[in-house]
Amino acid sequence: MSLKIALAQINLVVGDIARNRQKIIDTAIEARDHLGADLCVFPELTITGYPPEDLLFRPDFIATAQQAIHEIAQQTLGIDVVVGFPESSPEGLYNSAAVLRDGKIFCRYRKQALPNYGVFDEQRYFLAGDKVNLFSIKDTLLALTICEDVWRPEILFANRRAGAEIILTLNASPFHAGKMAQRENIVCEAVQSAGVSLVYVNLVGGQDELVFDGASFVVDQQGEIVLRAAEFQEQLALIEFDGVRPKASECAPFYNDIPSIYQALVLGIRDYVGKNGFQGALLGLSGGVDSALVLVLAVDALGADKVEAVLMPSRYTQVMSNDDAISETEALGVKYHIIPISPAVNAFSDMLAEVFSGAQQDTTEENIQARCRGVIMMALSNKQGKILLTTGNKSEMSVGYATLYGDMAGGFAPIKDVPKLLVYQLSHYRNSLAPVIPERVLTRAPSAELAPNQVDADSLPPYENLDPILERYIELDQSAAEIIAAGFKTEEVQRAISLVDRNEYKRRQAPPGIKITTRAFGRDRRYPITSGYRGWPPKGVSD
Amino acid sequence: MSLKIALAQINLVVGDIARNRQKIIDTAIEARDHLGADLCVFPELTITGYPPEDLLFRPDFIATAQQAIHEIAQQTLGIDVVVGFPESSPEGLYNSAAVLRDGKIFCRYRKQALPNYGVFDEQRYFLAGDKVNLFSIKDTLLALTICEDVWRPEILFANRRAGAEIILTLNASPFHAGKMAQRENIVCEAVQSAGVSLVYVNLVGGQDELVFDGASFVVDQQGEIVLRAAEFQEQLALIEFDGVRPKASECAPFYNDIPSIYQALVLGIRDYVGKNGFQGALLGLSGGVDSALVLVLAVDALGADKVEAVLMPSRYTQVMSNDDAISETEALGVKYHIIPISPAVNAFSDMLAEVFSGAQQDTTEENIQARCRGVIMMALSNKQGKILLTTGNKSEMSVGYATLYGDMAGGFAPIKDVPKLLVYQLSHYRNSLAPVIPERVLTRAPSAELAPNQVDADSLPPYENLDPILERYIELDQSAAEIIAAGFKTEEVQRAISLVDRNEYKRRQAPPGIKITTRAFGRDRRYPITSGYRGWPPKGVSD
């Protein structure tokens, strides 16, 4: 007798319990009526979305979520529904999954492994469960697990020992480059050791700094993937079991680094803009590669008609910058405005002349230009209800090569976790689909154009060296001594990490952006601003 | 034979291991040579400062910290030194305390209770210890505990059963209003049940959003406080034990709400500015009560010669606002500048005329004024190396009554956790010491002065109602229904919590400020920006 399980890889809205509830009901009914599924499995904390963060401290929120679970049970008769929800109990809150059957909660499971690293704070909210919990359907014994649980082989083994034949896993596993391979490798290896089949259902969609990539899958007892859902889109997939053996089904292609990152950025933008109710997006287009990439990402996410570009030339802006910016808007069919900034810059210059009399020109004057652009962009954003996208990349965010309240102003920073070299790779990739970014933007030397003939290389190591130094220092926690030992130039290492150390205050006020690396700025990396730690000189104790 | 224990209530710098190490050595030697102490006890994680946050993930940082412990041991012969440090082990990191004796680590203890709520993330970094560890000195058995441990009576009882006669506690317990009473009550009650004496040493000083208030104390076996160190300042206090009974010693006065909060703000400003190496501070002075209070706080923290005020009148600024602002600078002896903003406002108005043609005036134009002020203040800050202090209060931060990159621009927001009514109380308190804030500032209706005859009450409920509604919604997690049931007007509750719900994005980009309530914005309260949760209407599920 065959068992049919639907994998409901859906996009939820954190906190919007009414909407999530309806979506769960509609999806379960579709699985029942159109796919003939016996069981429909949803992602982790389905009813609240993930991560609900401190909303979990609100008793009214928890009560509403529990109430919604009962409503779902009553409206999905004829199919077993497996949903995630925050379960309150006298001793505290659990991250739980419930099997809904015949209008009631038939079985429930409490997550045992609570991640409290990286972007995760689950021990802030939840108590850990300590029991396996099996249920049967069509004479097959199924076990429930939640996300981090299946990264711990001992939990799979315990389920196997208890008699589980198929393990269901509800997940909210966020994307970073390479994560899909890591996830499949770890789970397949554990499943193979345990000798059970496993159905892995992942969330899809953007939530603040995170993108959940979907790519749900089914593994058989030999550790082979027999079904894989698409990345970055909703999908209701069906797996049929012949006894406890899953039949081979459709497998979406295995991920490919650059296209996956590109799609993650598109989905992250689309969901941040859409779920926050903006009318569209706008951005300052400088003729440089960063804003060029953000523009095409925004167009791919929202459609050309929802995006506006603003050119804000100054006396230092080269003609080719404007020309290139305009070509891209034309290639994409995006509306643009040109608003030269000199009237405002001159006004501030006059207003400050007296207090600045006698002082040397320095970065203050460069910052004023960037901040005049910030004022213009925010005025347009406020007037139109469109979100301002910030165009800074991770290399800049790392070393503070950006002006707070200037080019850092904005509601969302799509590429803030994308290092400069990867900005170029993504741009070339997008141009390979259809050429939209002018070739010159990809070949000329990067410049902030805030002073005469300025180029980034005047104040920063070349990106070919800077990016790997930053990766080692920020993502891998390597010391200066280790980075130098790996072959990087002493003075470039010193320059890079000294800048990282002293720019935490800027990053703290930066808009959120999309995590695509193993460690993004934001919830993922929590550094003190006030800090005497200096990565340079190499020995930590200065004697 | 009497035992003398020194309580080293000192101010450390997070991450500055070399400086902390030297301070520990100097303090221990002073305790040995001037106080004749047998033992000197320091605060939690002494060597790194608290909280070191993700610096704890850096292997070079941990290695340097452990190395420093050995150096301290070798340079403090002749006295037992109890210090806190991050202890690496093959299985992971512990939050540990060590007794240093005769140049070596004589005894060590691993913290058992790891707080992971509020501002604390200790389970992100540390494994929990599971053992008591006693050591003897002059025939007395002493136990080590760390901070949260003593909030768990079972840990005190376990130490008592193991034979401990005196319990030493290393703490980094941050301030909020009423915390000192809470702390003493809980500890005294536990100590009384366990029947041991306890020496409680707390950290003092500001660290980003936190102020550690000191107020270290000693409790005898009857649960009576026999020594209390001062709040908000460094102190090396000595307690003498006659056998296991501590002799009554000097007790600093018990806290008093308003003066304690005032001192917390002063110390928070002084340490943020000082530890981050700024030359001084500046702020925009509007003639309103918020900036009036921040100015006098800054002067009390840094001295009048380190503080500058800037008046930036617009066409909507009333003459009395300027007059009152100038009177305060004169009363305090603070330098001020007057920079009218109309040239910049007019420039932006002209620059935007074409794209805005046909559009209605709205808050966009108000925001442009606030942002012009932001550009001016940041230009002065950049040019002089002085930090810009932001003057928004908690009521404004809660409801988003502030302009991002405008009046919200700045490096530090001293009163961002101070509700408006408390701003008045603190101002009256400071004037009671010496009148510096003009009376009219305290009596006229609050106004942002961004439009003709504007007052806060046009768009917000009166603060007498708003502040308690916000406290219930934000600090106590009450639902709209509960707040209305407590007697507040439905429409005011609706207005207040709807504004709180939709302004998370502004708070996320706000500068850090000093926590003085049980829940501050920042590390203490982690809400999603993208969120479908709405505290209004009262029922969470909208059908």
Side-chain angles (χ1 to χ4, degrees):
Chain A
M1 194 168 55
S2 92
L3 173 67
K4 289 181 178 170
I5 299 178
L7 291 75
Q9 175 176 302
I10 59 172
N11 193 337
L12 300 156
V13 177
V14 163
D16 196 341
I17 290 172
R19 175 175 164 167
N20 295 342
R21 179 195 57 183
Q22 197 54 50
K23 183 154 202 165
I24 294 164
I25 293 169
D26 294 346
T27 306
I29 288 174
E30 188 187 339
R32 181 191 68 191
D33 296 348
H34 296 134
L35 301 180
D38 301 294
L39 178 68
C40 185
V41 184
F42 287 87
E44 181 175 13
L45 287 179
T46 332
I47 194 67
T48 59
Y50 193 93
E53 302 191 78
D54 282 7
L55 289 171
L56 291 168
F57 293 142
R58 304 199 74 88
D60 62 329
F61 184 71
I62 300 299
T64 306
Q66 299 215 9
Q67 165 73 14
I69 294 299
H70 293 284
E71 292 165 0
I72 293 166
Q74 284 153 23
Q75 294 186 45
T76 55
L77 302 175
I79 183 167
D80 282 7
V81 175
V82 181
V83 288
F85 71 109
E87 181 193 359
S88 74
S89 77
E91 66 275 16
L93 207 61
Y94 293 93
N95 181 342
S96 292
V99 181
L100 311 180
R101 180 182 290 179
D102 298 334
K104 289 196 287 273
I105 293 182
F106 172 71
C107 166
R108 67 182 89 199
Y109 168 78
R110 293 168 169 177
K111 186 176 185 178
Q112 300 180 62
L114 300 172
N116 207 65
Y117 56 81
V119 300
F120 300 108
D121 279 315
E122 291 201 13
Q123 292 170 32
R124 180 174 172 90
Y125 309 108
F126 299 116
L127 299 170
D130 57 5
K131 289 185 188 61
V132 301
N133 209 352
L134 308 191
F135 69 103
S136 79
I137 177 169
K138 290 190 170 175
D139 297 328
T140 304
L141 265 179
L142 283 75
L144 295 170
T145 56
I146 301 175
C147 209
E148 192 85 359
D149 286 338
V150 295
W151 296 62
R152 307 261 177 99
E154 68 272 18
I155 295 178
L156 290 190
F157 296 144
N159 276 301
R160 184 73 188 108
R161 281 195 303 276
E165 294 165 304
I166 301 171
I167 292 181
L168 307 178
T169 311
L170 292 75
N171 300 273
S173 177
F175 173 80
H176 62 70
K179 180 75 169 285
M180 183 171 160
Q182 184 191 14
R183 199 188 280 147
E184 290 192 0
N185 287 343
I186 286 178
V187 173
C188 289
E189 198 172 307
V191 160
Q192 197 181 3
S193 315
V196 285
S197 304
L198 186 141
V199 175
Y200 185 105
V201 179
N202 196 18
L203 181 64
V204 70
Q207 170 59 30
D208 288 352
E209 299 176 338
L210 302 180
V211 169
F212 298 91
D213 51 335
S216 301
F217 58 90
V218 178
V219 200
D220 69 15
Q221 300 101 314
Q222 282 74 46
E224 296 295 319
I225 303 274
V226 296
L227 177 151
R228 184 187 297 122
E231 289 180 282
F232 305 110
Q233 49 185 272
E234 294 193 300
Q235 191 173 333
L236 183 60
L238 189 77
I239 188 79
E240 194 172 345
F241 283 82
D242 199 2
V244 298
R245 174 201 296 270
K247 295 187 184 171
S249 183
E250 214 164 323
C251 282
F254 193 67
Y255 93 108
N256 192 326
D257 228 356
I258 299 294
S260 287
I261 295 169
Y262 193 90
Q263 287 182 72
L265 297 174
V266 168
L267 179 56
I269 295 170
R270 183 183 300 139
D271 277 359
Y272 193 88
V273 173
K275 292 178 181 179
N276 284 296
F278 288 99
Q279 302 302 309
L282 39 82
L283 74 162
L285 195 65
S286 69
V289 66
D290 299 314
S291 59
L293 176 62
V294 174
L295 177 61
V296 61
L297 285 166
V299 168
D300 288 348
L302 309 172
D305 58 319
K306 297 282 191 198
V307 181
E308 269 179 49
V310 186
L311 282 66
M312 295 170 288
S314 76
R315 52 195 289 213
Y316 305 120
T317 305
Q318 299 199 35
V319 173
M320 66 173 161
S321 301
N322 269 333
D323 290 349
D324 290 343
I326 292 171
S327 318
E328 187 183 2
T329 62
E330 288 169 350
L332 291 166
V334 161
K335 184 175 165 187
Y336 69 93
H337 309 283
I338 301 181
I339 304 177
I341 60 169
S342 59
V345 173
N346 294 339
F348 283 116
S349 176
D350 292 346
M351 291 157 71
L352 291 162
E354 195 183 319
V355 278
F356 281 5
S357 70
Q360 294 291 312
Q361 289 236 341
D362 55 20
T363 51
T364 304
E365 285 72 22
E366 300 186 17
N367 287 334
I368 289 173
Q369 296 171 58
R371 292 192 178 115
C372 285
R373 294 192 174 108
V375 174
I376 292 168
M377 294 307 304
M378 286 305 296
L380 289 165
S381 170
N382 289 165
K383 192 65 93 184
Q384 302 185 28
K386 290 184 177 162
I387 189 173
L388 172 56
L389 299 177
T390 307
T391 62
N393 62 60
K394 188 176 195 174
S395 312
E396 288 175 4
M397 282 300 96
S398 302
V399 297
Y401 197 69
T403 299
L404 202 51
Y405 322 131
D407 50 311
M408 286 178 66
F412 199 57
I415 61 169
K416 82 182 267 200
D417 196 36
V418 181
K420 187 79 172 188
L421 298 179
L422 185 53
V423 170
Y424 283 104
Q425 289 180 281
L426 291 164
S427 299
H428 283 294
Y429 162 72
R430 183 57 178 79
N431 268 4
S432 76
L433 306 181
V436 289
I437 301 175
E439 192 57 26
R440 191 165 54 186
V441 173
L442 302 176
T443 50
R444 58 187 283 220
S447 165
E449 296 196 331
L450 291 167
N453 306 314
Q454 186 180 43
V455 290
D456 294 9
D458 297 340
S459 26
L460 298 177
Y463 288 110
E464 289 68 23
N465 303 342
L466 179 62
D467 280 3
I469 292 171
L470 294 174
E471 183 186 8
R472 286 166 183 270
Y473 190 64
I474 294 166
E475 291 179 48
L476 305 176
D477 288 324
Q478 290 186 4
S479 67
E482 288 172 288
I483 300 171
I484 291 167
F488 292 91
K489 285 185 198 153
T490 302
E491 60 276 18
E492 292 185 349
V493 174
Q494 173 174 10
R495 177 86 183 135
I497 70 181
S498 301
L499 288 169
V500 172
D501 287 345
R502 64 173 186 248
N503 280 292
E504 183 58 28
Y505 75 100
K506 283 192 190 175
R507 290 188 288 267
R508 196 66 73 88
Q509 292 189 42
I514 303 160
K515 172 181 165 72
I516 62 131
T517 69
T518 54
R519 186 176 288 159
F521 297 122
R523 289 277 198 267
D524 205 8
R525 183 181 185 271
R526 306 177 190 175
Y527 265 60
I529 298 178
T530 305
S531 169
Y533 173 76
R534 294 290 173 265
W536 192 268
K539 175 131 176 33
V541 178
S542 54
D543 289 277
Chain B
M1 195 169 55
S2 94
L3 173 66
K4 289 180 178 174
I5 299 178
L7 291 75
Q9 174 176 303
I10 59 173
N11 193 338
L12 299 156
V13 177
V14 163
D16 196 341
I17 291 173
R19 176 175 163 165
N20 295 342
R21 179 195 56 182
Q22 196 54 50
K23 183 155 202 166
I24 294 165
I25 292 169
D26 294 346
T27 306
I29 287 174
E30 188 186 340
R32 180 191 69 191
D33 296 348
H34 296 135
L35 301 180
D38 301 294
L39 178 68
C40 186
V41 184
F42 287 88
E44 181 175 13
L45 286 179
T46 331
I47 194 66
T48 60
Y50 193 93
E53 301 190 80
D54 282 7
L55 289 173
L56 292 167
F57 292 143
R58 306 199 72 88
D60 62 328
F61 184 71
I62 300 299
T64 306
Q66 299 215 13
Q67 165 73 13
I69 295 300
H70 292 284
E71 292 165 1
I72 293 167
Q74 284 153 23
Q75 294 185 44
T76 55
L77 302 176
I79 183 168
D80 282 7
V81 175
V82 181
V83 288
F85 72 110
E87 182 194 358
S88 74
S89 78
E91 66 275 16
L93 207 61
Y94 292 93
N95 181 342
S96 292
V99 181
L100 310 180
R101 179 183 291 179
D102 299 331
K104 289 196 286 274
I105 294 183
F106 173 72
C107 165
R108 67 182 88 199
Y109 168 78
R110 293 167 169 177
K111 187 174 183 179
Q112 299 180 65
L114 299 174
N116 207 65
Y117 57 81
V119 300
F120 300 108
D121 280 315
E122 291 202 13
Q123 292 169 33
R124 180 175 172 89
Y125 309 107
F126 299 116
L127 299 170
D130 57 4
K131 290 185 188 62
V132 302
N133 209 353
L134 308 191
F135 69 103
S136 80
I137 176 168
K138 289 189 172 176
D139 296 327
T140 305
L141 264 179
L142 283 76
L144 296 170
T145 57
I146 301 175
C147 209
E148 191 85 358
D149 286 338
V150 295
W151 296 62
R152 307 263 177 97
E154 68 272 19
I155 295 179
L156 290 190
F157 295 146
N159 276 300
R160 185 72 187 109
R161 281 196 304 274
E165 295 167 302
I166 301 171
I167 291 180
L168 308 178
T169 311
L170 292 75
N171 300 274
S173 178
F175 173 81
H176 61 70
K179 179 75 168 285
M180 182 170 158
Q182 185 190 12
R183 199 187 281 148
E184 289 192 1
N185 287 343
I186 287 179
V187 173
C188 289
E189 200 171 306
V191 161
Q192 197 181 3
S193 314
V196 286
S197 304
L198 186 141
V199 176
Y200 185 105
V201 179
N202 196 18
L203 182 64
V204 69
Q207 170 60 29
D208 288 352
E209 300 175 337
L210 303 179
V211 169
F212 298 90
D213 51 335
S216 301
F217 57 90
V218 177
V219 200
D220 69 15
Q221 299 100 313
Q222 282 74 48
E224 295 296 321
I225 302 274
V226 296
L227 176 152
R228 184 187 297 122
E231 288 179 284
F232 305 110
Q233 50 185 273
E234 294 193 301
Q235 192 173 333
L236 183 61
L238 189 77
I239 187 77
E240 193 172 346
F241 283 82
D242 200 0
V244 299
R245 173 200 297 270
K247 294 187 183 171
S249 183
E250 216 165 320
C251 283
F254 194 67
Y255 94 106
N256 192 328
D257 228 356
I258 299 294
S260 285
I261 295 169
Y262 193 90
Q263 286 183 72
L265 297 174
V266 167
L267 180 56
I269 295 170
R270 182 184 301 140
D271 276 359
Y272 194 87
V273 173
K275 292 178 181 180
N276 284 295
F278 288 100
Q279 302 301 309
L282 38 84
L283 73 162
L285 195 66
S286 70
V289 67
D290 299 314
S291 58
L293 177 61
V294 174
L295 178 62
V296 60
L297 285 166
V299 168
D300 288 348
L302 309 172
D305 58 319
K306 298 281 190 198
V307 181
E308 268 179 49
V310 185
L311 283 66
M312 296 169 288
S314 76
R315 52 197 286 214
Y316 304 120
T317 305
Q318 297 199 38
V319 173
M320 68 173 157
S321 300
N322 269 333
D323 291 350
D324 290 345
I326 292 170
S327 316
E328 188 184 1
T329 61
E330 287 169 349
L332 290 167
V334 162
K335 184 174 165 188
Y336 69 92
H337 310 282
I338 302 181
I339 305 178
I341 60 169
S342 59
V345 173
N346 294 340
F348 283 115
S349 177
D350 293 345
M351 291 157 70
L352 291 162
E354 195 183 319
V355 278
F356 282 4
S357 70
Q360 294 290 312
Q361 290 237 340
D362 56 19
T363 52
T364 303
E365 285 72 21
E366 299 186 17
N367 287 335
I368 288 173
Q369 296 170 59
R371 292 194 178 113
C372 285
R373 294 192 174 109
V375 174
I376 292 168
M377 294 307 303
M378 286 304 297
L380 289 165
S381 170
N382 289 164
K383 192 64 94 185
Q384 302 185 26
K386 290 183 177 163
I387 189 172
L388 172 56
L389 298 177
T390 308
T391 62
N393 61 59
K394 188 175 196 176
S395 311
E396 289 175 3
M397 281 301 96
S398 302
V399 297
Y401 197 69
T403 299
L404 201 51
Y405 324 130
D407 51 309
M408 285 178 67
F412 200 56
I415 61 169
K416 82 182 267 201
D417 198 36
V418 181
K420 187 79 173 186
L421 297 179
L422 186 51
V423 170
Y424 283 104
Q425 288 180 283
L426 290 164
S427 300
H428 283 293
Y429 161 72
R430 183 55 179 79
N431 267 3
S432 76
L433 306 182
V436 289
I437 301 174
E439 193 57 27
R440 190 163 56 184
V441 173
L442 303 175
T443 50
R444 59 186 284 219
S447 166
E449 296 196 330
L450 292 168
N453 306 312
Q454 186 180 42
V455 290
D456 293 9
D458 297 339
S459 25
L460 298 176
Y463 289 110
E464 289 68 24
N465 303 342
L466 179 63
D467 280 2
I469 293 171
L470 294 174
E471 182 185 9
R472 285 165 183 270
Y473 190 64
I474 294 166
E475 291 178 49
L476 305 176
D477 288 323
Q478 290 186 4
S479 68
E482 289 172 288
I483 300 172
I484 291 166
F488 293 90
K489 286 184 197 155
T490 301
E491 61 276 17
E492 292 185 348
V493 174
Q494 172 174 9
R495 177 87 184 133
I497 71 180
S498 301
L499 288 170
V500 172
D501 287 345
R502 63 174 188 249
N503 280 292
E504 183 57 28
Y505 75 101
K506 283 192 191 175
R507 291 188 287 267
R508 196 67 72 89
Q509 293 189 41
I514 303 160
K515 172 180 165 72
I516 62 131
T517 69
T518 54
R519 186 177 289 160
F521 296 123
R523 289 279 197 265
D524 206 9
R525 182 180 185 271
R526 305 176 191 179
Y527 265 59
I529 298 177
T530 305
S531 169
Y533 173 77
R534 294 290 172 265
W536 192 269
K539 174 131 176 32
V541 179
S542 54
D543 289 279

